[in-house]
Amino acid sequence: MSTLQGSCFCGEVTFEASGEPAAMGYCHCASCRHWSAGPVNAFSLWKPESVRITRGAPSVGTFNKTPTSYRKWCTKCGGHLFTEHPTWGVVDIYASTLPQLHFEPALHVNYQETVLRIKDGKPKMKDMPKEMGGSGVLLAE
Ligand SMILES: [Zn+2]
Ligand SMILES: [Zn+2]
């Protein structure tokens, strides 16, 4: 089983992700954009038991604006780590914090909120897949 190493921007907090992600893609929602300060969030979803903080746990900050997302970052550098989604049973590790991850996006979610259209031929979900409580509706690129 492969294990990928991740860290915050300064390296104070390190973590690892074991096995394979359950899903990878891009989220265009306003919350992801605001939190990441970027036009789109590249996500990789992992089972909670696959993700482990290996150093710097006392420096991990948590903020939950909604009960579906517990956002984690390093309190020393402000660098983002990952977001726990307890109601969906997954942890979203920002692809950029796992440099060794072979990022293969399968879909785009929350495309109705996009500010950056990406014409890569991948499915564009209006909101979320049905199995995650969304409509499952697809939009044009
Ligand atoms: Zn840091
Ligand atoms: Zn989002």
Side-chain angles (χ1 to χ4, degrees):
M1 187 159 74
S2 76
T3 300
L4 301 177
Q5 309 297 323
S7 74
C8 65
F9 190 53
C10 75
E12 163 83 7
V13 180
T14 61
F15 61 95
E16 60 184 29
S18 308
E20 299 293 327
M24 292 187 278
Y26 297 103
C27 184
H28 295 255
C29 84
S31 288
C32 280
R33 287 189 278 107
H34 209 159
W35 169 251
S36 70
V40 66
N41 175 37
F43 66 80
S44 67
L45 301 182
W46 302 75
K47 295 231 168 290
E49 57 269 28
S50 304
V51 183
R52 198 167 67 89
I53 291 174
T54 47
R55 193 177 67 213
S59 298
V60 175
T62 301
F63 181 75
N64 61 305
K65 191 175 190 177
T66 70
T68 57
S69 301
Y70 287 70
R71 298 171 189 275
K72 309 275 184 179
W73 76 96
C74 168
T75 56
K76 294 242 159 90
C77 70
H80 294 175
L81 299 163
F82 46 78
T83 296
E84 293 170 355
H85 295 299
T87 53
W88 297 327
V90 292
V91 176
D92 169 6
I93 303 181
Y94 308 115
S96 308
T97 66
L98 285 175
Q100 305 151 308
L101 177 68
H102 182 57
F103 185 65
E104 282 190 70
L107 78 172
H108 296 251
V109 298
N110 295 309
Y111 204 63
Q112 65 181 342
E113 299 176 50
T114 191
V115 296
L116 179 68
R117 294 187 174 274
I118 299 178
K119 305 206 171 179
D120 60 0
K122 310 273 184 197
K124 307 291 185 307
M125 306 234 83
K126 177 176 180 233
D127 39 70
M128 297 288 279
K130 271 200 174 125
E131 55 269 34
M132 295 180 85
S135 69
V137 170
L138 288 168
L139 297 179
E141 286 195 323

